[in-house]
Amino acid sequence: MATDFGASIRSLFERFLTWPLSSDPPPSVQADLEKLKTILHRIHAVLYDAERREIQYKTDQLRLKELKDLAHDAEDVIDDYNYHTLRSLAEDKASHKRKRDEEVLVDLSNSSPNGNVEKLAEIAGQIRKIFDKFTEILKSSVQFSFTRHDGEHLIEGSRHPPVTSSMVNESCILGREKEKKELINFFLSENREENVSAICIFGIAGKGKTTLAQIAYNNDRVCKHFDRKGWVWVPRHFDITKLTKSVLEAVTVKACGLTELNTLQHALKNELWQKKVLLVLDNVWDVSSSNWESFLMPFVDAEKVRIVITTRNKEVTKNTQSQPYPFDELPAAECWSLFTQYAFGGQNSSEANLCEIGKKIVQKCDCLPLAIKALACLLRNKTEAKYWDEVLTSEIWELENENEILPALMLSYKYLPIHLKPLFLFCSMFPKGYLFEKEELVRLWMAHNYIQPRGCKRVEDVGQECFNELKERSFFDVVAKTTKYKMHGMIHSLGQSIAKKEFQAVLSKHHADISDEVRHLYVKGKGEIVDSLHFHKPNALRTLLYECLDAVVPRIPRVSKLRCLQHVFTDSSHESVCSYLACLIHLRYLRVYNKEFERFPESIRVYNKEFERFPESICQLYNLQSLILDYCGDLEELPGGIGNLVNLRYIGLSSLNITRLPDSICQLSNLQKLKLNDCRNIKELPSGINNLFHLRELVLCQMDISELPDSVCQLTNLQVLELSGCCNLSRLPRDIGNLSNLYTLEVTDTEIQELPESICRLSKLQKLSLSGNWNLEDLPSNFGELASLRYLELNDVGIRTQPKCLSDLSLQYLRYKAAY
């Protein structure tokens, strides 16, 4: 594998040597920029190929890191150039503002800077340095790379999954009685409608999926019930021919010399004719619906077939049309019993201090049986508390002789589609137990260009799909009774072990020394933690997310290359906030997060009268995609030049004292979502809101507006309109039916008395929530024409009896309760 990587480096070097490069920075850097983009594309191609291999040699690993660092530098230079292009356009627009009342947005793709010769010369110099560094990397790669003639490559370990069988020592298995009973009942159940039934046990590696299947498979009642049984471990790729052969050999317990799919399927069909069959397919990674249908063909003439699939990918459940079985975590008592079985030979230790440490180690394993067993085995016959403490405080990948947990989990990463790998690794920046919000995480991914639009799909929609795929592959779990997600502790450890030092969380001053390898940093704690941060290479940082836990707001570290920044800007000692923001020309994501201040007494809250108006310098952040201002109660005005932020896609404002939105906000033609929450001093929206023609979501919560401007009805791309807790809202726009792409409408806890008749023209509307509207006494007469409506909520409304028109709808969910 390593020699393949070395060959790709040498090929890259040969192509590079043929490029003519100018020796002096030209007046225009356009030509060299194009060469730089070519280099960047080829570096990305090499990095992409490297992700598909297991890079073994240290020299190749070093070269890989150098290329990644160089790619970051190249992206910065290209970003600098694009920023100054946008800046020149904004300045031109401002200079012509007196001549025209309205300025048409300029197409940036064909524009170029028209001034600032010094900046162009600086960019040209940066490009030259990158060319020189690239040449140096490639030359050293050729000079110091090994080839197949330099000796045999010794492989120290393997990430290939261990092959399983049906054999199990049940005396070593604890708990899972409920799950065992349910699975056996599935085996023995009679379903006369379909002779073939499948159940899919899914979850992360080490949870006990295979063990559960083994226990039920070997049950005496099960063995007597079936005529044929087979256990098949499924390789990474779902090869129907090989799998059919394995099944045939498993149920006949005989070797098979057949190789053609047709003859194999006929042989299997004959073997299973009119028989009761139990089949376990262990370790299925992926399978298409068509392949699954083809695989099942030989089973159709069997009397009864029960198939159990174990997988880490919930998508397998859908493609095989099987019954999903997500079994619960191992209870705490059984986790401790499992630990004592392997650490103490099944007996409680007389050493109280070891038991105390052991219980903390079990908690560290986050209810994962594989991790509990592996760490308990490490501690067997160890009686020194010092050694137990080392296991407790060490990260999983730091433990010597530990060779079971990470390899099992590593396969989940290894078999992950390449475009999902950086998304997963980014999440390792957050501390264990962090609660993720899907939309927020997608915005952070977007800021780093991890996801791209696909076909006609927006980048936000692609990001949501990527998150869902990670969730289906057991990288995220839904937190009960919330809309948030959590990453299992061992999955988080896996991410940290792969990401090394590139992603880091700082939760105390003991970890405040930031190495030059850290590019993404999450900080949580009191202000003194940020003040204590020591950066060896601050401009390497691309992400800085700070969550404040006290009223002391630290100074912002001078980090000019940031793409994502979350901080608190309300400390009156920050006289340089304006100039600092103007330096963050690469910024895509800015969140001023002051929520924690809400819980502090008024006497210790920090207010800044100068912060009543957000710095005008923010209007120079032309790359900004997301602007989020949360709980900045002293903020009373947004800058009028916010319309210059032509790349802005999301605005979220919560608990602000602003009285109006600037009219220029209507120039943000790329804006996808506008969310206003508890900004009660805003009484109306700008009348020019119809110019936000790309707006997909408009969310107004806890607002005091009395009506929406009629121009809202011209937002024909709007998909979600939420009006929640707007207690003064008395009517909806008459032409709301013009919102032809609306699929979610929530109008809750308002003063509306009737719905416009045009609402029945919303042919794509799928979800409608009208709860809490006590004055709403009837629905429009043609309400039954909402053919796409599936979800309807009518709780606490003035409609005294359930309307008959509801019977004309194809509802999947209805909640109705009159207010009286």
Side-chain angles (χ1 to χ4, degrees):
M1 295 298 184
T3 55
D4 291 342
F5 177 72
S8 65
I9 290 288
R10 284 191 293 275
S11 175
L12 191 60
F13 178 54
E14 291 167 1
R15 290 195 300 269
F16 178 69
L17 289 179
T18 64
W19 298 339
L21 298 176
S22 53
S23 57
D24 298 314
S28 171
V29 296
Q30 187 65 44
D32 279 356
L33 273 169
E34 292 304 317
K35 296 170 188 173
L36 184 62
K37 290 178 182 179
T38 302
I39 290 177
L40 190 56
H41 288 320
R42 287 175 173 167
I43 290 176
H44 284 161
V46 172
L47 297 178
Y48 178 91
D49 289 342
E51 279 291 349
R52 299 170 63 88
R53 298 172 169 88
E54 293 182 33
I55 306 301
Q56 301 285 346
Y57 290 133
K58 291 290 185 183
T59 50
D60 285 339
Q61 292 174 0
L62 176 61
R63 215 65 66 225
L64 199 61
K65 180 183 180 303
E66 290 176 335
L67 285 175
K68 288 177 69 174
D69 291 344
L70 193 66
H72 282 297
D73 293 340
E75 288 166 355
D76 288 342
V77 172
I78 294 171
D79 220 33
D80 278 344
Y81 179 81
N82 291 337
Y83 172 82
H84 286 284
T85 299
L86 294 172
R87 180 175 181 176
S88 296
L89 290 168
E91 290 173 351
D92 286 347
K93 180 179 177 180
S95 65
H96 291 88
K97 191 174 182 180
R98 293 187 300 270
K99 300 179 181 179
R100 292 185 292 178
D101 294 328
E102 295 183 357
E103 186 73 27
V104 178
L105 290 178
V106 181
D107 181 5
L108 302 180
S109 61
N110 297 317
S111 303
S112 59
N114 56 355
N116 203 340
V117 176
E118 292 182 0
K119 187 61 188 178
L120 289 179
E122 179 185 337
I123 291 175
Q126 292 171 347
I127 293 175
R128 171 54 54 191
K129 289 180 181 179
I130 291 175
F131 287 161
D132 293 342
K133 180 64 176 176
F134 188 59
T135 305
E136 178 187 340
I137 292 173
L138 295 183
K139 284 183 177 179
S140 63
S141 297
V142 174
Q143 293 169 355
F144 296 106
S145 288
F146 289 100
T147 71
R148 60 187 177 88
H149 302 294
D150 295 323
E152 183 181 357
H153 179 207
L154 301 178
I155 300 177
E156 298 176 0
S158 174
R159 290 180 183 172
H160 295 295
V163 179
T164 65
S165 77
S166 62
M167 299 186 69
V168 64
N169 183 358
E170 291 196 42
S171 64
C172 297
I173 308 302
L174 297 176
R176 299 300 189 197
E177 293 300 323
K178 170 178 170 289
E179 292 86 351
K180 174 183 173 181
K181 181 179 179 180
E182 290 175 347
L183 194 54
I184 291 174
N185 287 340
F186 166 74
F187 289 163
L188 303 179
S189 65
E190 299 295 337
N191 186 345
R192 296 183 179 180
E193 295 181 2
E194 295 183 2
N195 67 322
V196 181
S197 298
I199 192 169
C200 195
I201 307 174
F202 66 89
I204 68 171
K207 192 174 183 180
K209 304 181 295 295
T210 298
T211 302
L212 175 60
Q214 288 169 331
I215 295 172
Y217 183 88
N218 288 288
N219 179 264
D220 289 339
R221 291 169 58 205
V222 171
C223 292
K224 294 176 182 178
H225 182 78
F226 290 96
D227 304 311
R228 293 286 187 272
K229 290 172 58 189
W231 180 286
V232 177
W233 178 85
V234 183
R236 168 70 178 92
H237 298 289
F238 195 90
D239 187 313
I240 299 177
T241 302
K242 292 181 180 179
L243 185 58
T244 302
K245 181 177 181 178
S246 296
V247 172
L248 180 59
E249 292 179 338
V251 298
T252 61
V253 199
K254 294 179 182 178
C256 172
L258 302 175
T259 57
E260 295 296 328
L261 177 61
N262 181 59
T263 52
L264 283 167
Q265 286 193 326
H266 278 285
L268 182 58
K269 180 179 180 181
N270 292 334
E271 186 64 38
L272 303 182
W273 186 78
Q274 292 298 302
K275 291 183 174 65
K276 294 180 179 179
V277 183
L278 173 61
L279 178 64
V280 175
L281 300 178
D282 189 34
N283 191 55
V284 178
W285 287 94
D286 201 3
V287 56
S288 66
S289 299
S290 59
N291 280 348
W292 181 251
E293 290 177 7
S294 178
F295 170 73
L296 290 182
M297 293 298 292
F299 296 88
V300 294
D301 290 331
E303 178 184 341
K304 168 183 174 179
V305 180
R306 294 292 179 265
I307 302 176
V308 178
I309 302 168
T310 70
T311 182
R312 307 182 192 187
N313 185 1
K314 192 177 179 182
E315 191 70 22
V316 171
T317 303
K318 301 175 185 177
N319 292 342
T320 58
Q321 297 183 344
S322 56
Q323 176 185 341
Y325 190 77
F327 59 110
D328 297 330
E329 292 179 340
L330 198 65
E334 294 177 5
C335 288
W336 176 243
S337 297
L338 180 63
F339 181 84
T340 58
Q341 177 173 308
Y342 286 94
F344 304 128
Q347 304 294 324
N348 282 326
S349 173
S350 58
E351 298 287 340
N353 61 331
L354 294 186
C355 288
E356 182 180 350
I357 300 171
K359 290 178 180 179
K360 293 178 181 178
I361 292 174
V362 170
Q363 291 178 351
K364 174 180 181 176
C365 293
D366 209 0
C367 299
L368 194 68
L370 175 66
I372 295 171
K373 176 183 174 182
L375 295 187
C377 289
L378 283 179
L379 297 169
R380 184 182 294 167
N381 301 324
K382 305 290 184 181
T383 58
E384 295 182 11
K386 178 181 178 182
Y387 187 83
W388 285 56
D389 276 325
E390 288 178 359
V391 172
L392 175 61
T393 56
S394 298
E395 296 293 350
I396 296 298
W397 63 90
E398 296 173 341
L399 298 174
E400 294 183 4
N401 304 319
E402 191 290 300
N403 59 1
E404 190 173 4
I405 305 173
L406 278 183
L409 293 171
M410 185 65 75
L411 290 171
S412 294
Y413 177 80
K414 179 181 177 182
Y415 294 156
L416 198 62
I418 290 180
H419 70 279
L420 296 180
K421 288 184 176 181
L423 310 186
F424 162 62
L425 294 181
F426 182 83
C427 298
S428 66
M429 169 184 62
F430 298 90
K432 285 186 178 181
Y434 184 85
L435 298 182
F436 292 93
E437 296 182 17
K438 184 194 298 188
E439 288 190 12
E440 196 72 5
L441 186 56
V442 168
R443 293 186 195 107
L444 292 168
W445 287 341
M446 287 170 52
H448 292 291
N449 210 30
Y450 289 156
I451 46 181
Q452 299 292 330
R454 190 184 302 153
C456 60
K457 292 182 179 180
R458 297 181 309 153
V459 65
E460 289 88 350
D461 297 331
V462 175
Q464 297 262 347
E465 291 176 1
C466 291
F467 182 93
N468 291 337
E469 189 170 356
L470 284 170
K471 179 173 69 70
E472 297 294 288
R473 292 174 178 269
S474 304
F475 285 87
F476 290 103
D477 293 319
V478 180
V479 179
K481 299 180 180 179
T482 73
T483 58
K484 297 185 178 182
Y485 300 84
K486 188 172 74 169
M487 188 172 282
H488 191 279
M490 291 294 111
I491 292 290
H492 183 271
S493 293
L494 169 68
Q496 287 188 316
S497 71
I498 299 169
K500 307 299 182 185
K501 297 179 180 180
E502 188 173 347
F503 302 86
Q504 182 178 338
V506 173
L507 307 178
S508 71
K509 291 195 294 184
H510 300 295
H511 302 96
D513 191 36
I514 310 302
S515 77
D516 57 3
E517 296 181 45
V518 176
R519 293 190 178 274
H520 306 275
L521 183 65
Y522 173 90
V523 183
K524 181 177 181 178
K526 297 182 178 180
E528 60 183 18
I529 290 183
V530 176
D531 288 333
S532 66
L533 293 178
H534 176 62
F535 294 92
H536 291 276
K537 192 177 179 182
N539 280 337
L541 208 62
R542 295 298 184 269
T543 303
L544 175 58
L545 305 180
Y546 172 55
E547 188 171 344
C548 179
L549 293 183
D550 64 0
V552 179
V553 183
R555 291 187 175 276
I556 312 165
R558 288 283 174 175
V559 186
S560 62
K561 302 295 186 182
L562 285 176
R563 264 65 173 174
C564 299
L565 174 64
Q566 173 180 296
H567 214 282
V568 181
F569 286 121
T570 55
D571 188 347
S572 58
S573 65
H574 285 184
E575 299 175 355
S576 60
V577 168
C578 298
S579 60
Y580 176 71
L581 283 178
C583 294
L584 301 179
I585 64 174
H586 301 280
L587 205 63
R588 266 77 170 167
Y589 174 100
L590 175 61
R591 186 180 190 188
V592 178
Y593 181 73
N594 204 15
K595 184 175 181 179
E596 292 295 338
F597 278 38
E598 294 296 298
R599 63 185 179 86
F600 296 131
E602 182 71 28
S603 58
I604 66 170
R605 289 184 187 169
V606 178
Y607 291 95
N608 180 9
K609 287 298 180 182
E610 295 181 0
F611 207 75
E612 292 177 355
R613 189 174 189 273
F614 205 76
E616 191 72 33
S617 55
I618 193 178
C619 302
Q620 299 176 26
L621 305 181
Y622 305 115
N623 286 310
L624 200 64
Q625 298 172 352
S626 301
L627 174 62
I628 305 156
L629 307 177
D630 285 342
Y631 301 92
C632 301
D634 45 356
L635 187 61
E636 297 180 356
E637 187 177 357
L638 294 179
I642 198 171
N644 289 333
L645 304 180
V646 293
N647 286 305
L648 205 59
R649 301 178 69 87
Y650 174 73
I651 296 179
L653 309 177
S654 297
S655 300
L656 308 184
N657 285 329
I658 57 175
T659 58
R660 57 184 292 273
L661 296 177
D663 290 335
S664 68
I665 206 170
C666 300
Q667 299 173 17
L668 301 174
S669 59
N670 284 312
L671 196 67
Q672 305 289 309
K673 182 173 180 177
L674 175 60
K675 180 178 180 179
L676 305 179
N677 178 39
D678 195 26
C679 299
R680 296 186 178 275
N681 290 338
I682 297 179
K683 305 301 182 183
E684 60 182 8
L685 299 180
S687 59
I689 196 172
N690 57 295
N691 291 317
L692 301 177
F693 47 83
H694 280 139
L695 196 68
R696 302 295 182 95
E697 296 183 56
L698 177 59
V699 179
L700 306 177
C701 299
Q702 308 299 321
M703 301 282 287
D704 287 345
I705 59 173
S706 58
E707 62 181 11
L708 297 178
D710 291 335
S711 56
V712 164
C713 300
Q714 298 176 36
L715 299 174
T716 54
N717 284 310
L718 201 67
Q719 297 177 348
V720 177
L721 176 58
E722 182 179 344
L723 307 168
S724 174
C726 299
C727 55
N728 291 331
L729 185 67
S730 57
R731 74 174 188 91
L732 296 178
R734 183 185 61 183
D735 294 326
I736 195 171
N738 292 342
L739 301 178
S740 55
N741 284 298
L742 201 68
Y743 65 79
T744 297
L745 176 59
E746 295 188 35
V747 185
T748 60
D749 299 314
T750 72
E751 291 293 316
I752 64 168
Q753 300 179 14
E754 62 179 5
L755 299 177
E757 288 287 337
S758 70
I759 200 172
C760 303
R761 300 204 311 267
L762 298 175
S763 59
K764 294 184 180 180
L765 192 67
Q766 299 176 18
K767 178 180 179 180
L768 176 60
S769 181
L770 297 169
S771 295
N773 297 310
W774 289 37
N775 294 327
L776 182 64
E777 298 182 351
D778 201 1
L779 298 177
S781 57
N782 53 347
F783 192 79
E785 296 178 4
L786 292 171
S788 299
L789 195 64
R790 298 293 179 266
Y791 179 106
L792 178 61
E793 194 171 273
L794 290 169
N795 268 356
D796 298 323
V797 293
I799 305 173
R800 296 179 181 273
T801 59
Q802 184 169 316
K804 294 181 180 179
C805 63
L806 300 187
S807 61
D808 297 329
L809 300 171
S810 301
L811 295 176
Q812 297 175 354
Y813 177 92
L814 172 63
R815 179 175 291 179
Y816 167 76
K817 185 181 74 173
Y820 305 102

